[in-house]
Amino acid sequence: MIVRNKLEELRKERGITQEELAEALEVSRQTISSLEKGRYNPSIILAFRIARYFGKSIEEIFIYEEE
Amino acid sequence: MKVLRKRVIWFMLVALAGIILFLAGRSGSDSFVSGLGTGITAVALAKLLQFFRIARNPKLLKKFEIEQKEERLIMIAEKSSRFTFLLTVVAELAGIVALILLGRTAVATVVAYVAALQSLVYLISYYYLSKKY
């Protein structure tokens, strides 16, 4: 299974840096970077926080794909 | 601040253990033990200095608290612990075989008990956590 996300796209649309997004979500900048590169999948709590921050649903940001 | 306070208390205890080791080494004329005590105390004091610097800087304090609760770092630490545990058990088993081949059966028995105890703790915690979650 693969989970893709639109985090980088949404962040750039808003014109914010990884550092700013990290501060808003109370995570480290490295976590934002790992999420954007798809190296790390967030917990459901962090996924909800990200979705709430961008005013979208989780499914609009994270796309689950079965291999 | 709560997380930082806990870390300060923990490293104060580590520093105290280092001082006790240093004094025990000095009284028993064991340079290895006193050296170990000095090393532990130095590391603990360095960490305490770092924590006091963090406590005085709100920006650093926020960064520190985020890092302590950060789910990705917690996952990394858990994965690292799992790997360390596995490596320790494998090393112990290899050690038991090597000690038996060298005829040091008494030491091999002690290592075997330690390995068995570790496995038992693992099984108990696995059972407890499987009930909890």
Side-chain angles (χ1 to χ4, degrees):
Chain A
M1 92 182 167
I2 299 170
V3 178
R4 295 186 197 285
N5 69 70
K6 294 179 182 169
L7 200 60
E8 190 174 4
E9 195 185 313
L10 289 167
R11 179 178 62 77
K12 284 181 177 169
E13 263 176 29
R14 290 222 174 181
I16 53 168
T17 63
Q18 287 186 339
E19 194 76 49
E20 285 164 339
L21 181 60
E23 206 177 321
L25 296 169
E26 297 200 326
V27 295
S28 65
R29 194 201 55 78
Q30 287 88 344
T31 295
I32 299 297
S33 171
S34 292
L35 286 165
E36 287 185 353
K37 286 180 181 148
R39 287 199 306 245
Y40 173 66
N41 290 324
S43 69
I44 192 77
I45 294 165
L46 182 56
F48 267 114
R49 277 189 5 230
I50 292 168
R52 199 159 287 176
Y53 177 82
F54 288 108
K56 294 187 178 292
S57 66
I58 288 180
E59 290 89 343
E60 283 176 289
I61 302 173
F62 296 95
I63 302 118
Y64 172 74
E65 289 173 1
E66 280 190 58
E67 277 177 316
Chain B
M1 203 65 174
K2 203 175 165 186
V3 184
L4 188 66
R5 200 171 296 138
K6 274 186 188 171
R7 296 293 297 267
V8 167
I9 292 169
W10 170 248
F11 274 96
M12 276 179 167
L13 291 173
V14 172
L16 186 69
I19 292 166
I20 291 168
L21 264 181
F22 171 75
L23 293 174
R26 285 294 291 264
S27 65
S29 303
D30 191 332
S31 61
F32 175 76
V33 174
S34 63
L36 189 68
T38 309
I40 290 170
T41 310
V43 170
L45 289 178
K47 287 299 278 184
L48 285 169
L49 275 175
Q50 187 191 16
F51 294 152
F52 288 130
R53 200 169 65 92
I54 290 169
R56 282 202 304 264
N57 186 332
K59 207 173 171 184
L60 280 178
L61 182 64
K62 185 148 191 326
K63 195 179 170 212
F64 173 81
E65 291 193 330
I66 286 173
E67 280 170 0
Q68 298 304 305
K69 291 184 286 182
E70 164 81 76
E71 61 174 51
R72 185 176 135 270
L73 295 180
I74 292 170
M75 182 207 74
I76 293 168
E78 281 171 0
K79 277 194 175 205
S80 179
S81 297
R82 272 206 300 271
F83 178 70
T84 308
F85 174 75
L86 181 73
L87 203 68
T88 309
V89 172
V90 170
E92 281 167 354
L93 295 176
I96 292 165
V97 173
L99 286 165
I100 289 169
L101 290 174
L102 291 168
R104 309 278 299 269
T105 48
V107 185
T109 308
V110 173
V111 178
Y113 275 125
V114 171
L117 189 67
Q118 272 182 308
S119 304
L120 188 68
V121 170
Y122 172 81
L123 287 173
I124 291 168
S125 59
Y126 185 90
Y127 177 77
Y128 170 75
L129 292 171
S130 65
K131 291 278 173 200
K132 191 179 174 187
Y133 300 106

